């Protein structure tokens, strides 16, 4: 079911590396109408298999710095000499058109979005257990033990930020996590202030 | 999907006569586990077909006044010389056992619950239009034109209380309204404070 909306909702999704966020997001986008996944901008080089406009919008350092100067970014950060950021303009266009916008963003970026867009929905995804997170990172078979240990330590730090989020979703099973996120979005649509335009006829 | 809960949620459902609340509630209760519909207490006589413990708990005036004196009621009101009220004790037992409790209650009763239980979820159900509400009241074929006019006027007064509610659900179709209420309940379960017990293992 899709009801007409005055304005889309901004949704910030965070969670540790290995929790399965990409799978959950892909599933959610497949099930839901009127939702747009905001692809980040970066100055780093594409990896094998990565597509421009799908995984990232790949731009030059000059272009990224122009975007910073023009205040075109909702948030950005520099990691290992590369910029990563979120375009504000595209998000605003989608929200005004009544389309929800989903951001996949780590905890520091989320903190910046919270300052500028306190009305966004902040959702944190956790694994069913720390051991399961470790198992999933090992199963990916892409990282060395050192890198995995680093990711797990980073996860512990990220978990400390959960109290700043609105919702906590457990990815024990992709379908459960997707169901919970879908419920959070539907419930937010039902909030009285988001439906005040429906009340005029009853006044 | 049902996840273990520390504590149930109290849900207050209001909406005008004729909006289809009973049908929506029956459908919701059939679909969802761990939810208990709180049957009101009343001193009025059962009507033909009404069952004690199902439609109402029918009690004597003496018993009802004892419950008032013993502070056993979450809210109560007197209409046309009859008392109507909600038992607090049973609700507390269910909530402590991790079971959600649903109250079907009009706007004055809801206002009293809001004072005592500000953490409850307050949901108001509206028809798709005022004309449709009128059609539904006529279709029931149980009330005279005068009574229907009175119900529609009361509905207009009730609609003014909507800004005090958290959520607005539209009963254009029973399945849509049930889906929205179910989403509101699931989303509330995902709120970070309601899941803090899941975080201990990640600390």
């Amino acid at each position: 079911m899709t009801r007409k909306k005055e304005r889309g909702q901004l949704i910030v999704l965070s969670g540790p590396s290995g929790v399965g966020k990409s799978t959950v997001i892909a599933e959610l986008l497949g099930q839901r109408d009127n939702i747009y996944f905001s692809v980040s901008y970066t100055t780093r080089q594409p990896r094998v298999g990565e597509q421009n406009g799908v995984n990232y919008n790949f731009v030059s350092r000059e272009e990224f710095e122009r975007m910073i100067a023009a205040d075109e970014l909702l948030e950005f950060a520099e990691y290992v000499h590369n910029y990563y950021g979120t375009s504000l303009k595209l998000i605003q266009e989608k929200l005004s058109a009544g389309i929800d916008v989903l951001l996949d963003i780590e905890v520091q970026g989320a903190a910046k979005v919270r300052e500028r867009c306190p009305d966004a929905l902040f959702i944190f995804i956790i694994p069913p257990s720390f051991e399961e997170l470790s198992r999933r990172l090992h199963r990916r078979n892409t990282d060395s033990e050192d890198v995995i240990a680093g990711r797990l330590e980073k996860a512990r730090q990220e978990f400390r930020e959960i109290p700043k989020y609105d919702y906590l979703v457990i990815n024990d099973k992709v379908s459960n996590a997707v169901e919970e996120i879908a419920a959070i979005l539907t419930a937010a649509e039902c909030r009285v202030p988001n439906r005040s335009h429906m009340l005029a006829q009853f006044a």
Side-chain angles (χ1 to χ4, degrees), chain A residues 10-30:
Chain A
L10 184 59
I11 306 128
V12 175
L13 214 60
S14 300
S17 175
V19 79
K21 247 182 315 170
S22 324
T23 314
V24 167
I25 289 172
E27 191 72 25
L28 182 75
L29 296 176

Side-chain angles (χ1 to χ4, degrees), chain A residues 54-202:
Chain A
V54 175
N55 306 90
Y56 283 98
N57 294 307
F58 295 99
V59 294
S60 68
R61 199 166 178 90
E62 292 66 37
E63 171 60 7
F64 202 101
E65 287 174 346
R66 188 201 60 73
M67 292 168 83
I68 297 173
D71 199 23
E72 289 181 12
L73 298 170
L74 174 58
E75 58 82 36
F76 71 94
E78 199 170 3
Y79 296 113
V80 208
H81 311 298
N82 282 306
Y83 283 124
Y84 296 82
T86 307
S87 163
L88 184 60
K89 198 172 148 231
L90 197 55
I91 291 177
Q92 285 174 331
E93 282 170 14
K94 298 287 177 187
L95 295 177
S96 301
I99 296 166
D100 293 337
V101 175
L102 185 63
L103 304 180
D104 170 0
I105 217 170
E106 39 64 63
V107 295
Q108 283 86 0
K112 287 180 195 170
V113 177
R114 205 175 286 113
E115 280 172 32
R116 288 184 76 159
C117 310
D119 290 341
L121 299 174
F122 293 87
I123 304 174
F124 197 98
I125 308 188
I126 56 169
S129 70
F130 209 83
E131 292 64 39
E132 174 60 19
L133 184 65
S134 172
R135 268 194 294 276
R136 289 182 192 174
L137 285 168
H138 281 94
R139 219 183 292 140
R140 295 208 299 202
N141 230 350
T142 51
D143 300 317
S144 67
E145 277 303 318
D146 272 8
V147 170
I148 290 177
R151 291 197 195 279
L152 289 172
E153 179 47 36
K154 187 154 181 284
R156 276 197 198 281
Q157 290 165 19
E158 288 169 339
F159 290 146
R160 290 190 203 116
E161 302 296 311
I162 291 175
K164 296 179 187 160
Y165 285 74
D166 302 312
Y167 296 100
L168 187 62
V169 162
I170 304 151
N171 189 20
D172 49 357
K173 227 177 102 183
V174 171
S175 60
N176 286 350
V178 170
E179 187 185 325
E180 292 192 341
I181 296 172
I184 291 165
L185 302 193
T186 297
E189 287 172 15
C190 296
R191 288 178 185 170
V192 169
N194 292 339
R195 292 198 151 164
S196 49
H197 59 289
M198 295 180 175
L199 290 178
Q201 60 164 327
F202 296 116

